[in-house]
Amino acid sequence: MPRKPKIAGRGDGIEYRFKIDAYSPDTMPMARLAQYMGELAALLGEQNAVHFRRVTKGSTVLNARIDREAAPKVRDRVASVRAGDAPGEPMRAFNMLNKFLRDDNAIGILRDTAPSGIIVRFPGREIAEEKFASIRQQGSIDGLVTGIRGKDDTIHITIQSEGQQISGCETNRTIAKQLGAKLFEPVRLFGRGRWSRDADGEWALQYFKIESFEALQDVSLTNALAALREIPAEWGDDAYSELEKLRHGPGGQRNGGH
């Protein structure tokens, strides 16, 4: 009997292998594996045509099979990631995979097993942590006074601002005594502070020297806006955003500092 001709189908696709050198399949936490798989799927795209096959031993190697009809699109997408000009989602996934690898002290390689396969390297742990010099500038902090301590001429003030406890504030005895009368009340502190930014772009207050303060009314922004609307004036649809700018500054800097 003559053999039936082979019908081209899903089995004629290509395979991609993503190697993580930090774990073996026996030591890779399941939750972490799921995170890697989710971002790898986002990078490859064409999710209905991308199938997980297995985890290969040695280092942890994720094997994904791409259906034949979707292979050219996935290949173009991976090539654009390697070139650094991919659209937002695959580049976001690439950066997130790099973050996972950096946190796991690993590097990664994505390899297309076709004869002229594409190789994408993920530097992971080799990425130098971007460090930023501290910024010193005049500023203000809004919050509740939650603590006052110290016996010498420098008094330490604790402020609760936007759900965070800020303990890097200092002042003299005179201002501390005045703030003592505002314990657990909202105030706006004025002074000179030092802020730093981490590799993820988050700003944090390191130190703040309180030079003066003013008491604030414990009124929500919504109620304040409602009260302002009762004043005869022209209020546009962007009034709320304008008040946010006045409250947090043009850049919307939060984390306790303005």
Side-chain angles (χ1 to χ4, degrees):
M1 295 289 291
R3 291 185 179 181
K4 293 182 179 180
K6 184 178 180 181
I7 300 174
R10 295 178 180 270
D12 297 326
I14 60 174
E15 187 171 297
Y16 283 87
R17 296 175 183 171
F18 180 61
K19 180 180 179 180
I20 307 166
D21 75 345
Y23 294 104
S24 70
D26 293 333
T27 61
M28 169 69 79
M30 182 181 292
R32 193 54 155 178
L33 178 63
Q35 289 179 313
Y36 277 110
M37 290 178 64
E39 295 300 337
L40 180 60
L43 188 151
L44 296 174
E46 302 296 320
Q47 295 190 12
N48 291 332
V50 176
H51 312 279
F52 173 70
R53 293 196 66 189
R54 63 186 179 275
V55 176
T56 306
K57 290 186 176 181
S59 298
T60 300
V61 182
L62 304 181
N63 294 264
R65 187 76 179 177
I66 315 300
D67 292 344
R68 178 177 57 82
E69 63 273 14
K73 292 181 180 179
V74 173
R75 189 176 178 84
D76 289 345
R77 187 177 174 104
V78 173
S80 67
V81 169
R82 184 178 64 178
D85 57 5
E89 177 61 10
M91 288 309 300
R92 183 207 61 78
F94 174 83
N95 292 330
M96 187 58 68
L97 286 168
N98 256 325
K99 183 179 185 304
F100 292 163
L101 292 164
R102 186 186 69 197
D103 293 344
D104 294 339
N105 194 31
I107 60 175
I109 296 176
L110 178 65
R111 186 185 301 271
D112 174 355
T113 58
S116 57
I118 298 174
I119 298 176
V120 179
R121 192 171 184 276
F122 296 75
R125 65 170 177 264
E126 297 176 353
I127 300 176
E129 289 284 348
E130 188 176 8
K131 296 180 180 180
F132 299 86
S134 297
I135 296 177
R136 298 173 183 268
Q137 64 180 18
Q138 292 294 127
S140 65
I141 302 173
D142 293 355
L144 296 177
V145 180
T146 57
I148 301 174
R149 60 184 177 83
K151 297 180 179 180
D152 54 16
D153 291 336
T154 300
I155 309 299
H156 301 274
I157 309 295
T158 304
I159 296 291
Q160 182 179 347
S161 177
E162 299 181 355
Q164 300 180 4
Q165 287 290 333
I166 300 175
S167 57
C169 301
E170 296 181 356
T171 191
N172 56 43
R173 288 188 174 187
T174 301
I175 295 178
K177 185 175 180 179
Q178 296 170 355
L179 284 170
K182 300 297 180 181
L183 194 63
F184 303 118
E185 295 183 10
V187 296
R188 175 169 293 157
L189 308 177
F190 299 96
R192 187 167 184 82
R194 183 173 70 244
W195 286 264
S196 64
R197 191 174 70 171
D198 61 21
D200 294 323
E202 294 293 328
W203 286 94
L205 177 67
Q206 302 298 319
Y207 169 81
F208 194 83
K209 178 69 173 180
I210 303 170
E211 299 172 348
S212 62
F213 75 94
E214 65 181 16
L216 298 177
Q217 293 185 356
D218 192 6
V219 178
S220 68
L221 182 60
T222 301
N223 291 337
L225 183 59
L228 288 172
R229 286 188 182 278
E230 295 179 0
I231 301 174
E234 292 288 335
W235 289 93
D237 296 335
D238 59 346
Y240 189 93
S241 61
E242 290 299 321
L243 285 174
E244 279 286 300
K245 289 180 181 179
L246 289 173
R247 188 182 185 199
H248 297 294
Q253 182 178 326
R254 294 172 182 265
N255 293 329
H258 297 70

